[in-house]
Amino acid sequence: MRLTRIAATVAGIAAVALTASLAGCSASPSAEDSAVELVIGNQPAASQTAELALFKEQVAAFTKLHPKWKISTSETGWDSQTFQAKLAGGDLPTVIGVPFTEMAGLIKRGQAADITSSLDKAGVKDELNSSMVDLASKSGKTYGIPTSAYALGLAYNRDLFTQAGLDPDNPPTTWDEVRAAAKTITEKTGQPGFSQLTKDNMGGWILTAETYTRGGAMENAEGTKATFDAAPTKDALEYLKDLRWTDDSMGANALVGISDIAQDFAAGHVGMFVIQSDAFGTLTQQLKMAPEAFGFASLPTEKASDDPITLSGGNIEIVNPKASDAQKEAAVDWIKYVYLDKYTDKDNAVKAAEAAAAQGAPVAIPGLSAVSDAKYTQYLDWVSGVNNVPVDNFKPYLDRAAKQTVKAEPVANAQDVYAALDPVVQAVLTDENADIDALLKSAAATVQGKLGR
C-alpha cells in the first residue's frame, strides 16, 4: 500500500523536473553490444502527460547509447489478473515493475528470471539496499532490482515538541517514550499528542506496521493463514487503548482518514503519527506546513536496545523468465541507467536536483532508499547545496536506517487484512470496554475465509 493521495501530486512535478537532467546523463555503449531485443514495460498512459514525457526522453537517450539494440515499449504493467496469461502468451515485456508483495509468489512460481549473474556483471548488487534485495532473493539468487520504496516511520511536529518542553532533535525511540511524549504534548498544549489513521484500509495498514515493530506478523510465510490474532497485534491495540482512554492523549475522533490527519498535523493540531517520510512533500507544498516544523524518526521499538523494524512497499523491476542472457543484461543496464545513475554519478545527481528545485519540487526527501546506506548518504551530500528539504529534521531516521529491518506487506490479500482491521481499531478507540481478543478473532476468521479460497 502506498499513500498515493499524499505523494502523487508532488510526483508529477518531480517527473517533469527530472526530464531536464537527462541531457547530462552519460554512458558509453558497450563494445559487446549486439542485436538485442528489449521490450520495456510500464510506459505511462497518454493521460499521464508529465510521466510519459519523462519516459520517452529516457527511452530515447538510452536507445542512443545502444544503437544496435531493438528497443520498444509497452504500457503493460503489473496486473495480477493478466500477468500469467501475458507470460504464457509471450506478451510480457522483457522488463516490468511489480510491487514488493508479489515477489515471493513470482519467485516460487518461476515467473521472474534469475538475474544474479547479470547483476554481478553490471556491478549493481553492491550498490543496492541489502534489506530490499532480500525481498527479491531466494537461496542465494536474485530475481529483481528494487528501484523505489517507502518505509513507515514516526512523523512528529517539531513546533509542538518545543511548545511542550520536549527536545525536537531527540524524538522517542520506544513506544513507552512515544506514550510519555504524547501525554506531555496533550497536557502542555491541549493538542492530541498522537493520532492514528483508522479508515480506508489505512487503519489496518498502520496497525500492521505497529505489529511488526513488536515482532509479529499478519500471516504465515506462505500467506495461507491469518496470524494477527496473537500477542503482538493485541499489544499494539492495548497500547492504543491506553493512549485513548487512560491518558486521553489521542483526541475523541476515531474515524480518521489521511486528509483529516494531514490537515491537523500541518496545522499543529497533532503531535505524532505513523506515515512514510515523503508525506513531507504534500504536507509542506499543499497544506503549507512550515518545512522546519516537520520531523521524522524511525518506527519506535519495544525496548531501547532493539533495532527498528518497518513496513515497506515499493517497486521491484523483474525480467521476463523467458529472457535470454543477453536480454537479461540489457534489462539490468536499462534499470541501472534509469533508476540508479543519480546515486553513482555526482554530475547526474546535481543536474537532476537543480532541475527539481527549479520546478519547486522537493529535491531529496530522506527515507528508505533502493541503494545502500553508503550510496544514499553520498547522494544526499552531493545534492546538499541545492536540496530544499531540511535533511537535519530527518536525522533521527537516518541515524538508525542502517540497522533497520525492512518487512513487506502481507503476501496474500493485504487489502483484505487491512479492511478487516479498520473496524477493530475504530472499536478500540470508541469503546473503552472493547473486547480486543474477540475483535481480532473475528477479523482473523474473515481474512482466513478469503485466504482459503
Side-chain angles (χ1 to χ4, degrees):
M1 186 168 186
R2 175 95 186 182
L3 199 51
T4 51
R5 278 170 282 185
I6 276 284
T9 303
V10 178
I13 299 173
V16 175
L18 286 173
T19 304
S21 74
L22 287 170
C25 294
S26 60
S28 300
S30 168
E32 298 176 354
D33 276 1
S34 57
V36 177
E37 184 173 354
L38 178 67
V39 183
I40 302 168
N42 296 101
Q43 175 178 301
S47 58
Q48 297 174 285
T49 309
E51 292 87 345
L52 181 59
L54 172 62
F55 181 84
K56 287 184 175 180
E57 290 279 355
Q58 290 170 323
V59 172
F62 186 72
T63 300
K64 188 175 181 180
L65 293 172
H66 301 284
K68 293 184 180 180
W69 293 0
K70 182 181 178 182
I71 300 173
S72 59
T73 63
S74 169
E75 289 190 9
T76 297
W78 170 256
D79 184 337
S80 61
Q81 303 300 313
T82 62
F83 180 87
Q84 295 190 43
K86 286 184 178 293
L87 176 60
D91 297 322
L92 197 70
T94 316
V95 58
I96 184 174
V98 302
F100 279 12
T101 48
E102 303 302 325
M103 281 308 301
L106 292 172
I107 295 171
K108 183 178 181 179
R109 296 189 296 269
Q111 294 175 333
D114 174 4
I115 57 173
T116 309
S117 61
S118 299
L119 287 175
D120 290 342
K121 186 172 182 178
V124 170
K125 191 171 181 179
D126 290 342
E127 298 175 354
L128 299 172
N129 182 325
S130 59
S131 292
M132 292 169 59
V133 172
D134 288 345
L135 299 176
S137 303
K138 186 176 181 180
S139 302
K141 296 181 178 180
T142 305
Y143 297 85
I145 302 178
T147 55
S148 65
Y150 71 85
L152 294 177
L154 183 71
Y156 63 100
N157 189 302
R158 291 173 58 88
D159 287 350
L160 279 182
F161 265 58
T162 299
Q163 292 171 32
L166 301 170
D167 184 356
D169 293 329
N170 292 286
T173 59
T174 68
W175 286 113
D176 285 345
E177 291 174 355
V178 169
R179 182 179 179 183
K183 189 174 182 180
T184 298
I185 290 169
T186 299
E187 290 174 348
K188 299 290 186 180
T189 72
Q191 304 295 345
F194 187 85
S195 188
Q196 177 98 355
L197 287 161
T198 66
K199 65 180 185 179
D200 302 324
N201 288 16
M202 293 183 179
W205 178 47
I206 299 301
L207 183 63
T208 295
E210 293 164 343
T211 296
Y212 286 174
T213 68
R214 291 167 168 85
M218 313 311 280
E219 300 171 348
N220 62 2
E222 294 74 29
T224 58
K225 181 175 175 56
T227 60
F228 57 77
D229 55 341
T233 310
K234 293 177 186 178
D235 290 346
L237 289 167
E238 289 285 357
Y239 178 84
L240 294 175
K241 181 179 178 180
D242 287 341
L243 264 66
R244 170 67 180 93
W245 299 105
T246 302
D247 301 346
D248 194 24
S249 58
M250 288 190 71
N253 184 15
L255 291 175
V256 181
I258 183 55
S259 295
D260 309 315
I261 205 168
Q263 290 173 7
D264 285 345
F265 185 75
H269 300 318
V270 167
M272 297 172 282
F273 76 114
V274 174
I275 204 68
Q276 75 261 22
S277 65
D278 60 7
F280 170 89
T282 296
L283 287 165
T284 56
Q285 290 203 317
Q286 284 187 274
L287 300 178
K288 307 306 179 184
M289 182 180 187
E292 297 76 17
F294 182 91
F296 194 74
S298 58
L299 282 182
T301 56
E302 287 194 284
K303 297 181 294 184
S305 59
D306 293 342
D307 289 333
I309 299 172
T310 188
L311 182 156
S312 175
N315 180 75
I316 294 176
E317 294 289 313
I318 65 167
V319 178
N320 190 316
K322 298 179 181 179
S324 66
D325 288 343
Q327 287 176 311
K328 292 178 187 179
E329 291 180 12
V332 169
D333 198 20
W334 161 257
I335 296 166
K336 183 177 183 295
Y337 174 77
V338 172
Y339 297 104
L340 303 178
D341 267 3
K342 72 175 182 178
Y343 298 111
T344 58
D345 185 287
K346 184 177 180 179
D347 287 343
N348 288 344
V350 172
K351 287 177 181 178
E354 289 173 342
Q359 294 289 329
V363 170
I365 301 173
L368 182 64
S369 172
V371 296
S372 68
D373 186 58
K375 287 287 183 184
Y376 190 59
T377 300
Q378 176 180 260
Y379 164 73
L380 290 177
D381 180 64
W382 284 345
V383 302
S384 60
V386 291
N387 197 1
N388 50 15
V389 176
V391 174
D392 284 348
N393 291 12
F394 296 78
K395 191 173 185 296
Y397 175 86
L398 293 173
D399 283 349
R400 305 184 75 195
K403 295 182 178 180
Q404 180 175 252
T405 297
V406 178
K407 297 191 68 174
E409 297 179 81
V411 297
N413 298 73
Q415 294 303 320
D416 290 326
V417 172
Y418 301 155
L421 288 170
D422 269 8
V424 175
V425 179
Q426 293 167 15
V428 169
L429 298 180
T430 54
D431 180 4
E432 187 174 2
N433 298 310
D435 186 336
I436 291 176
D437 281 341
L439 288 166
L440 284 178
K441 194 166 292 185
S442 176
T446 298
V447 172
Q448 189 60 48
K450 297 183 178 183
L451 294 178
R453 289 178 184 173

